[in-house]
Amino acid sequence: MAGAGGRSWRDLLAGRARKRRSPFGSGAELQGAALRLLDQHQNLAELLLEVGDSAKPGVQDGAEHRGVSPESFIVSVLQEQASKLGVPTATLAAKNAMANMEQICQDPASPSRVLLLNSDQRKRLTCLLQTVKDLLANNMFCRSLFCQEMWKMKEPLGLEAVWHLHSSDIVGLAQLLDRSPAGPAAVEWLCSSLCGLCEQAGDISCGDTELAQRILSDFAIVFVQHGFEQPSELGRKVEFQKVAYICRAVLQRMLAWVLDAVGKEKQEDVSMVQAVRFWLNVFNVPLYGSVSPPDSLRQFFRHTLTEVLTYNPVLKVSDAIQMQKEWSFTRTSPLLTALYRKLTGTALPLQLLVAFSVQESVCQLQQVLETHEVNWQHVLSCVSTLVVCQAEAGQLFKDLLSHLLLKAFGNYDMENMITAFLLARQAALEGPAVFMPYSEWFKASFGSAGGHHGSSKKSLVFLLEFLSELVPFEAAPYLKVHIMFPPCVPAKHRSLLLEYLSLAKTRLADLQVAIEDMGLYEDLSAPEEAVQPQAQALRDVEKALQIFESTRKIPTSVIEASIFRRPYYTSWFLPALLRPRVLPKTPDGRMAFIDSLKRADKIPSNLYSTYLQACHAMKEKVLQDASKAEPSHSKEPLEQLEADLAELRTLVVQQAQWEEVAAQLAVLSDRLRRALGEDTEAAPCSARLQVPVPTPGLAGGPQRVVDLLLTSFCQILLAASSFNPPDRQGPCLSLLVKMLCGHRNLLPALLARLCQLLYHQGPSLGAAHILGLAAFVIHLSECRALIPAVEADFGASQAVPGEALSVSEFWSSLLVCRTEESFVFCLRFCTAAAAYLMCKFSSCSREDFCALIPPGLIKKLQFLVPRLSLEARGILCEEAKSALSWSSLSCPSLNPRRASLCLWRQAGFQELLKEKAFQLSFREWLLLELEVCPEKDILSAAERQDFHHWAIYQRYLPAPSAAGGCDGDLEKACGVILNAILDSSQRLQLGACAHSRTSLSPEILCRLQELVLELRCRPKLLPGCSAAQRPLVFELLQDRLAGRDPEQGSALGQQLWRQQELLLHRRILLGLPASTLVTTCWRGSRAVLDCDSFFGFVNSELKNVSSRGYALSYDITAHFFRGLLSASLDCEDAAEGVSEALAACQTKCPVLLLSAALWWPRLEPALCSQWKRLFGAPLAGELARLRGWHSSGTRFLCSGAAFPVCDPPWLSAAFLHGAILQHSPRGTEALQRLGTGAEQARLGAFHPSALPYT
């Protein structure tokens, strides 16, 4: 009750308490006096609102210190009034509370009810609800009567008021609905209110939107809990059966509202789209949490999916056949696809918390198809959503299709048959990335005798009758599939198939589509119904070129078309392939493809001659046009282009509106087209862009245009950076580069100019140029989807043609680090590019940001920064105090090492290094290091050695393989180094690299030697252990040879590669410790030498690259004997061990002893010296025998002494041959003295290749 001046009852009490001492002796006397006063001036409705200000100061000083509370006053007044009226106190309280709520919720500006309250209404309602809570605590409030009073109102309460009652636990929504006199009226009230709430959600404040979301969430939980209760719960709650009906009906009506909005294409109405999307939040699984039972929630989702699939089934099967292409994922309403994704668990990972998985979704779809009449648009668009959004759905639908076909042919059921075809076609519409093409499915199902139709004639007739019934409604692409890949039928039933094929061809003729014009690689999932033969032929040529360039073989489809589809091949495919053009000096992929077809007699001679003449004529015309062109004609467009670029720079500096910048870019695009002489029609894009890196020449006109564009880009960037950092410069530069990428004729010249600047002129560029080019290549990488693949020809330094590169990989490959100058330039460029990237796109999400980053940039910095800065090799203890300033990078006095180190220390950059895609692996680091010219390196030899030790032993050896390391495995590290050395040397030697490195890198080879020696530092094997040390080096070399693809390159190329590879293997072996060639193992109780791995490698590989053809070179022969003697130190009897190894060599590797015989005069002094140094004893028996045979041969030639033929005789002949080479004038004469029993020795002395084992 309010007093004079609007003061509340509490204020009056407090005020009077402060003014004078109360004349009442006790609280009872005070309460009695108050009741008499209220009885004369009471307003019960206002009295219920007087509990809201219990925290006001002063009250405690007055009434409450006497034990009198406002609640007790209200209770007393209600009791007094109820006794006078003769009604229960709870009844009176309920009636007055409802009257109060009705008054509060009535908006004076609107005669009807309001859904959401204003702030004043909420404040008054809060006070009222607090009073009602107090009455409930004193059992002075009747909930059921309160509900009855609400339903008696002309206009039921608004949703927010009902929600406050529900959330305050005064009257729950379920209890309120249970007291409704008529269920349909309650449904109508709720649905209209919920629709109104959803429609208002987009036009209210942020706070009210959150409140509306909470209202919707709480009510949805009630609807699901009571509308989809399990049978066991429903039996215990018979009183809530009406509630279950209302809840289900509300959800049903709201779903119909959503589907009607989608079906009538109301999505063009933005407000309706917002309203429907707001309601779809009730299908977010996290909304229900643990409040709703999982079974109820699963039942709700199943029921909803069934209702969607069966809603308003007015479309016939014939309509679905003709219209299903319009129901693909991209063409379906986003609201409908959003609903499917929420229902089938594909919207968010959290949806998977529900057991309603994709498997259950497909099963539910199958059940609906089998038991209901369905809305084909909803069914097929749901199929598209599932196969696009769920990786598992493709296989599930294949299984479902097999099941449907099995049932169809088992019962000869047309319904299952048409369902299978519709589902297969719908899934195939989403492309081969998610489901097999329709042609593949049709071939797999009916293309072999093992298909369902092959079991009997009845099954075959069933299939052909079904296909015939489809013909009047079929689209041309599907008819083409059936004709090109007809079902497999026995010869005796061929006439049945021919009837169908005739019918299908007639239908194609009616559609004005010729089967002869069908493309080789026609895409049935394309949105257009039919592609013109000319366009399809161009697509076929591009696809065939891609296959040819990857396999270097004519595609099978082209060969088949030249035989079986001659009209299309000669009328469309060949003209598209042989379009006249200016032929490049170096044959490209198209020329190679045409040449292969010509050699295979797949191009008629007259057509080929006409093509060459037309190409020559086009070249002449281009030369004539170039000679006639005057500078004045090209000067004007260039000047206009320059002026427009200056205008763009002004707009950027002035921070103009986006619309103005976009308009200026459109003008620039037109000017650029004129400057380049482009036609208005888009030129066909070639499959790849070719850039000759050593000599990227440019014609005069395009070079001036490209230089102007690059210069203007740098100027715009620097001008904008003087006012704002990159992240606040807007999208102008991105849009500019994207516009440039749209001019396909400009791209070759643009990439060639970048090649000149980065690869050839990089060290001479200034700071501003480096900044501009760094930002430009970042934006090029951003637009990489618009740029074709690049074929970078590095000339002689590229041993074999490399794979096509993306534009990011292309410009990363231009940043080579070989000399001091190139190191400094690459460091500055990569630092600038990374700093620009991190600043420009700092607001992007983590996923989008990582997608924008060129991996080569981050990897190059991982190579450069630790190499040039000692500080980067340690563990970062804390983040840099100040981030790298973008503006500071343009300062000429900036120290590049300090700038890169500042970038390196930033936490954001260190986070990038943890991403697997950006980690520089051990192999990649080695290949970069092997490119460095040691004599021109920025590091001294000592600094380089320190860096190598840090990189190998501290960075990569202990690092896990997931981070590009070796997991602490020395053998793995040796393998990586060995392969990297060989790969680098192959490229450099086969290509004769520009810096003329034709030998193995001695420093990296030293690191390999260190690791190999460390591998040998292991505990010695105990006696009786049969295991030997693994021949690691030979395993690695053999694996490398075996891993070469025999199909790669020509036979001659393979032979040359293998020969070069084996020569490198020999160099590697010579660079490793000699003891690596021989291992030690235990046989019984003694250690023996194991040379089998080396013997096998010599027999299978090394002897094939010997210059003499029958003996190894001196260096590898001497290396083996040195290793043999060194390894014998591990034997108990070294002489015996060596003798046994050489004895085994006679049978296992004779070529090694032949080599020793050839080189013995040079080999003997070294071996004798080593043996004396190691053992100080007489030579081992077998070594002494070798020396004796050599001495016998020498004496035989020089003094005429008899020549003893030993066993084996070929070994004597080999030593005799070596002596003859040393004393050649006496050889023929001396051989005549050999006896008749020495034919083998005589033959071997002159022709060692004729000896056994050679």
Side-chain angles (χ1 to χ4, degrees), residues 161-184:
V162 175
W163 176 75
H164 280 295
L165 291 171
H166 174 80
S167 61
S168 301
D169 202 21
I170 294 174
V171 177
L173 178 62
Q175 186 178 5
L176 187 63
L177 295 178
D178 185 57
R179 295 295 178 178
S180 64

Side-chain angles (χ1 to χ4, degrees), residues 1239-1253:
E1239 290 84 358
Q1240 187 176 4
R1242 183 184 297 111
L1243 179 63
F1246 275 112
H1247 304 284
S1249 59
L1251 292 174
Y1253 309 109

Side-chain angles (χ1 to χ4, degrees), residues 543-557:
K543 180 68 175 178
L545 279 173
Q546 292 177 7
I547 297 174
F548 177 79
E549 289 172 352
S550 62
T551 64
R552 310 309 294 179
K553 296 179 180 179
I554 300 175
T556 306
S557 55

Side-chain angles (χ1 to χ4, degrees), residues 441-622:
W441 176 80
F442 190 81
K443 284 191 294 182
S445 301
F446 310 109
S448 66
H452 297 287
H453 66 293
S455 58
S456 65
K457 180 181 177 181
K458 187 176 181 180
S459 298
L460 175 61
V461 171
F462 171 69
L463 171 64
L464 294 176
E465 285 182 353
F466 168 76
L467 293 177
S468 299
E469 290 183 12
L470 288 184
V471 167
F473 314 103
E474 288 276 46
Y478 298 113
L479 288 172
K480 289 180 179 180
V481 169
H482 298 168
I483 295 172
M484 296 299 298
F485 310 106
C488 178
V489 299
K492 58 183 178 180
H493 301 317
R494 186 74 179 169
S495 58
L496 300 175
L497 176 63
L498 292 177
E499 290 179 12
Y500 167 73
L501 294 178
S502 176
L503 184 64
K505 289 180 180 179
T506 304
R507 169 66 176 166
L508 279 179
D510 295 340
L511 295 174
Q512 297 182 346
V513 176
I515 188 63
E516 292 81 8
D517 296 339
M518 182 177 178
L520 306 183
Y521 307 100
E522 190 161 333
D523 182 10
L524 294 179
S525 64
E528 60 269 15
E529 184 65 26
V531 181
Q532 293 299 320
Q534 297 93 330
Q536 183 59 49
L538 289 174
R539 295 182 185 177
D540 288 343
V541 168
E542 291 297 329
K543 180 68 175 178
L545 279 173
Q546 292 177 7
I547 297 174
F548 177 79
E549 289 172 352
S550 62
T551 64
R552 310 309 294 179
K553 296 179 180 179
I554 300 175
T556 306
S557 55
V558 176
I559 296 175
E560 291 176 350
S562 68
I563 301 172
F564 303 109
R565 303 188 54 206
R566 193 74 180 171
Y568 173 79
Y569 179 76
T570 56
S571 301
W572 300 110
F573 183 80
L574 285 182
L577 176 64
L578 302 177
R579 297 176 71 184
R581 62 179 183 136
V582 178
L583 299 178
K585 294 181 180 180
T586 303
D588 58 1
R590 182 183 287 260
M591 291 180 66
F593 182 45
I594 293 172
D595 184 61
S596 297
L597 288 174
K598 180 66 174 64
R599 284 187 278 105
D601 292 331
K602 298 300 179 183
I603 300 179
S605 299
N606 57 344
L607 186 61
Y608 184 71
S609 301
T610 304
Y611 166 69
L612 293 180
Q613 293 172 5
C615 292
H616 181 72
M618 181 171 286
K619 181 179 180 181
E620 293 294 330
K621 185 176 183 301
V622 170

Side-chain angles (χ1 to χ4, degrees), residues 230-276:
Q230 300 306 302
S232 58
E233 298 175 357
L234 200 58
R236 296 196 302 268
K237 301 179 180 179
V238 178
E239 69 274 12
F240 283 136
Q241 288 183 357
K242 181 195 294 184
V243 179
Y245 158 76
I246 294 174
C247 290
R248 273 184 175 257
V250 169
L251 292 173
Q252 189 94 359
R253 284 274 300 273
M254 293 304 294
L255 180 62
W257 173 68
V258 171
L259 296 177
D260 285 340
V262 173
K264 296 176 183 178
E265 298 185 354
K266 290 183 178 179
Q267 55 266 35
E268 296 180 2
D269 183 357
V270 177
S271 61
M272 179 57 70
V273 171
Q274 292 177 344
V276 172

Side-chain angles (χ1 to χ4, degrees), residues 49 287 293 352 511 515 552 586 589 730 808 815 817 842 941 977-978 1087:
L49 299 176
L287 174 77
L352 299 178
L511 295 174
I515 188 63
R552 310 309 294 179
T586 303
S808 302
L815 301 174
C817 304
S842 57
I977 296 177
L978 184 66

